């Protein structure tokens, strides 16, 4: 039983109600009372507040049954918008979603600088564009979530971004003082794991998501929250050693997992050996379709070393769900079954191993979802994912 002062209890009850409305999509007051175990009087008072605030809407269902037509409650998705940003080397992606996490606009900007002051101004200019365009909604832009491909401390200070050469950057403060919008800074792999939990894996509170693109990032959701470690830097699984005295890594060690099981290694090798400067997935797909023996062998090695690291992660964390985010795995026939076939240990336990169906958009969608979670002040979101193209800003 929840105890405390009246304001605190009201806040907790409000959170339960919003969470259930989002989860069910549409729900009546009577059913809300049943699933939350709150009295009808409490439900009526809270719903009245939410209607007045414009956060929920009422819909009267048409039906032929005898009796009163049920009035259903649902979230007002257009009451405000969340802006997600993926800040990566050479490119910044933007996605604006409604309060149900559905993208309504997206765009990207290619950048040829790593200088913080220049990138800060690019971010400010684009955020202000979105802010000005969506002033007509009740709450406008309710927050900005930013995905960082590097180390983010618990206080949201950007500790280190390898490709940009940034150290100890207070991006959150620098943006908030200019735009007057709440900003949330998070590691890209964490946001990918959050997107997987929010949009797909609603029935688990223990999920790992490994992103395998330019390196290996590991996002960890434990009990519906990020597992961050002591300073917030947990998840650097790409730098666990899988080959003692193996290939040199920029981190200073040799034989790191990401040197053998990230897509970057395959792209780097093939670009050099086949003299293709802008090697893309389409090249690899073409070679695989032709049965290219060298490319096939590279993929088999990729899967082997990936399995070695996954075995370690499974034994360390015992996740319910483990999601792999890799375009190469999506392209390669039977990749998932081959990985599962390499996980022989009788002590390795997990419920589900899957390849992400969101892909590279997961971190920016996770950023939007994180903003929505904070704005609505709910413990967790259960949203649906619609893979559709969106117009540019």
């Amino acid at each position: 039983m929840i105890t405390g002062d009246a304001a605190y209890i009201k806040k907790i009850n409000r959170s339960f109600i919003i969470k259930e409305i989002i989860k069910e999509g549409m729900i009546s007051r009577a059913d809300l009372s049943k699933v939350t175990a709150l009295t009808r009087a409490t439900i009526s008072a809270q719903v009245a507040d939410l209607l007045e605030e414009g956060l929920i809407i009422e819909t009267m269902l048409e039906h032929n049954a005898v009796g009163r037509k049920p009035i259903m409650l649902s979230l007002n998705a257009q009451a405000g918008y969340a802006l997600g940003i993926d800040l990566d080397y050479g490119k910044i992606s933007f996605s604006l979603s409604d309060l149900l996490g559905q993208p309504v606009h997206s765009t990207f900007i290619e950048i040829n600088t790593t200088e913080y002051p220049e990138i800060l101004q690019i971010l400010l200019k684009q955020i202000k564009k979105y802010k000005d365009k969506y002033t007509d909604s009740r709450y406008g832009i309710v927050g900005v979530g930013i995905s960082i491909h590097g180390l983010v401390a618990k206080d949201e200070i950007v500790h280190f971004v390898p490709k940009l050469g940034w150290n100890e950057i207070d991006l959150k403060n620098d943006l908030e003082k200019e735009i007057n919008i709440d900003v949330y800074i998070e590691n890209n792999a964490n946001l990918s794991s959050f997107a997987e939990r929010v949009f797909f894996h609603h029935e688990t509170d223990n999920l790992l998501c490994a992103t395998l693109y330019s390196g290996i990032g590991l996002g960890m959701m434990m009990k519906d929250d990020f597992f961050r470690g002591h300073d917030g830097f947990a998840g650097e699984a790409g730098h666990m050693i899988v080959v003692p005295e193996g290939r040199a890594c920029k981190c200073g060690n040799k034989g790191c997992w990401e040197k053998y099981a990230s897509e970057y290694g395959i792209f780097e090798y093939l670009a050099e050996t086949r003299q293709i400067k802008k090697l893309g997935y389409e090249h690899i797909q073409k070679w695989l379709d032709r049965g290219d023996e060298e490319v096939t062998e590279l993929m088999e090695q990729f899967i082997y070393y990936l399995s070695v690291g996954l075995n370690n992660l499974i034994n360390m964390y015992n996740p319910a769900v483990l999601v792999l985010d890799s375009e190469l795995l999506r392209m390669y026939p039977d990749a998932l079954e081959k990985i599962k076939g390499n996980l022989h240990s009788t002590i390795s336990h997990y419920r589900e191993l899957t390849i992400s169906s969101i892909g590279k958009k997961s971190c920016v969608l996770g950023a939007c979802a994180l903003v929505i979670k904070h704005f609505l002040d709910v413990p967790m979101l259960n949203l649906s994912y619609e893979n559709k193209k969106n117009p540019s800003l």
Side-chain angles (χ1 to χ4, degrees):
M1 180 177 178
I2 298 173
T3 61
D5 62 54
Y8 175 72
I9 294 173
K10 183 177 181 180
K11 178 181 177 182
I12 295 298
N13 290 343
R14 174 190 172 97
S15 176
F16 285 162
I17 290 168
I18 293 174
K19 179 176 179 288
E20 290 301 325
I21 290 174
I22 295 173
K23 179 181 177 182
E24 298 300 325
M26 298 183 74
I27 189 170
S28 68
R29 287 170 173 80
D31 287 338
L32 260 181
S33 180
K34 291 177 184 177
V35 298
T36 61
L38 297 173
T39 67
R40 293 200 176 195
T42 298
I43 294 294
S44 293
Q46 290 273 6
V47 165
D49 288 345
L50 292 170
L51 285 168
E52 184 178 353
E53 294 169 25
L55 284 176
I56 63 173
I57 54 177
E58 292 181 312
T59 303
M60 184 173 290
L61 291 186
E62 298 291 339
H63 68 111
N64 297 322
V66 177
R68 296 175 59 185
K69 297 176 181 179
I71 297 175
M72 308 299 285
L73 305 171
S74 57
L75 190 76
N76 182 6
Q78 282 73 50
Y81 298 90
L83 179 58
I85 300 173
D86 181 23
L87 176 54
D88 201 357
Y89 177 79
K91 180 179 177 181
I92 307 175
S93 300
F94 300 82
S95 182
L96 189 82
S97 81
D98 62 24
L99 293 184
L100 286 175
Q102 297 305 314
V104 294
H105 282 92
S106 62
T107 189
F108 70 90
I109 296 174
E110 292 185 351
I111 54 175
N112 55 11
T113 179
T114 61
E115 296 298 319
Y116 176 68
E118 295 178 38
I119 292 177
L120 176 63
Q121 291 306 311
I122 293 172
L123 290 172
L124 285 170
K125 181 179 178 181
Q126 197 69 9
I127 292 170
K128 288 175 180 177
K129 278 186 179 181
Y130 277 106
K131 184 179 179 181
D132 293 342
K133 186 170 182 177
Y134 288 88
T135 54
D136 292 341
S137 63
R138 177 72 176 264
Y139 294 97
I141 306 297
V142 301
V144 178
I146 302 182
S147 163
I148 299 294
H149 294 245
L151 300 179
V152 179
K154 287 183 177 179
D155 59 6
E156 297 181 80
I157 297 294
V158 179
H159 178 67
F160 179 52
V161 183
K163 288 191 174 181
L164 298 177
W166 291 359
N167 290 277
E168 307 304 326
I169 298 293
D170 194 355
L171 177 61
K172 175 184 175 72
N173 180 65
D174 290 342
L175 289 173
E176 286 183 340
K177 67 184 181 184
E178 294 288 336
I179 60 174
N180 195 31
I181 300 175
D182 289 333
V183 175
Y184 306 96
I185 309 293
E186 189 53 76
N187 168 266
N188 67 301
N190 276 349
L191 288 174
S192 290
S193 69
F194 190 63
E196 295 292 342
R197 167 60 184 84
V198 166
F199 290 103
F200 286 99
H201 301 282
H202 298 160
E203 304 305 318
T204 181
D205 61 0
N206 288 280
L207 178 148
L208 301 184
C209 178
T211 59
L212 309 175
Y213 297 108
S214 58
I216 296 181
L218 183 67
M220 297 184 283
M221 299 293 301
M222 300 292 176
K223 296 183 179 179
D224 279 343
D225 199 1
F226 296 121
F227 178 79
R228 303 178 186 276
H230 177 66
D231 294 314
F233 305 152
E236 291 300 311
H239 296 289
M240 71 175 158
I241 296 172
V242 296
V243 180
E245 295 302 313
R247 299 169 189 167
C249 181
K250 290 181 179 179
C251 77
N253 282 326
K254 293 181 179 180
C256 291
W257 189 30
E258 69 176 38
K259 297 300 292 184
Y260 296 84
S262 69
E263 293 189 355
Y264 177 77
I266 292 178
F267 275 86
E268 184 181 44
Y269 174 80
L270 290 174
E272 181 179 349
T273 59
R274 304 200 176 189
Q275 297 295 298
I276 300 176
K277 289 185 178 181
K278 293 186 178 181
L279 183 71
Y281 290 107
E282 66 277 7
H283 294 96
I284 295 179
Q285 184 68 71
K286 180 179 66 176
W287 294 327
L288 288 174
D289 291 343
R290 291 178 178 175
D292 188 298
E293 292 185 5
E294 182 183 37
V295 175
T296 300
E297 179 61 26
L298 284 173
M299 286 298 302
E300 292 293 331
Q301 289 179 7
F302 172 59
I303 285 174
Y304 170 76
Y305 284 112
L306 178 59
S307 304
V308 171
L310 293 179
N311 184 74
N312 294 339
L313 294 180
I314 291 167
N315 286 334
M316 283 190 286
Y317 296 107
N318 181 214
V321 177
L322 208 167
V323 182
L324 306 177
D325 190 1
S326 164
E327 188 62 31
L328 289 182
L329 292 181
R330 282 186 283 271
M331 291 165 48
Y332 196 58
D334 301 321
L336 195 59
E337 294 308 312
K338 290 181 179 182
I339 293 169
K340 291 179 180 178
N342 289 332
L343 302 176
H344 303 299
S345 175
T346 57
I347 63 172
S348 291
H349 293 286
Y350 61 92
R351 191 185 75 216
E352 182 181 358
L353 176 66
T354 185
I355 297 173
S356 172
S357 57
I358 309 178
K360 289 186 175 182
K361 294 180 290 185
S362 62
C363 57
V364 73
L365 292 179
C368 289
L370 185 64
V371 168
I372 297 168
K373 177 180 180 293
H374 282 289
F375 174 68
L376 297 177
D377 196 17
V378 293
M380 181 49 70
L381 294 166
N382 288 343
L383 303 176
S384 61
Y385 174 70
E386 298 177 15
N387 189 6
K388 58 185 180 181
K389 293 183 179 180
N390 305 290
S392 298
L393 179 67

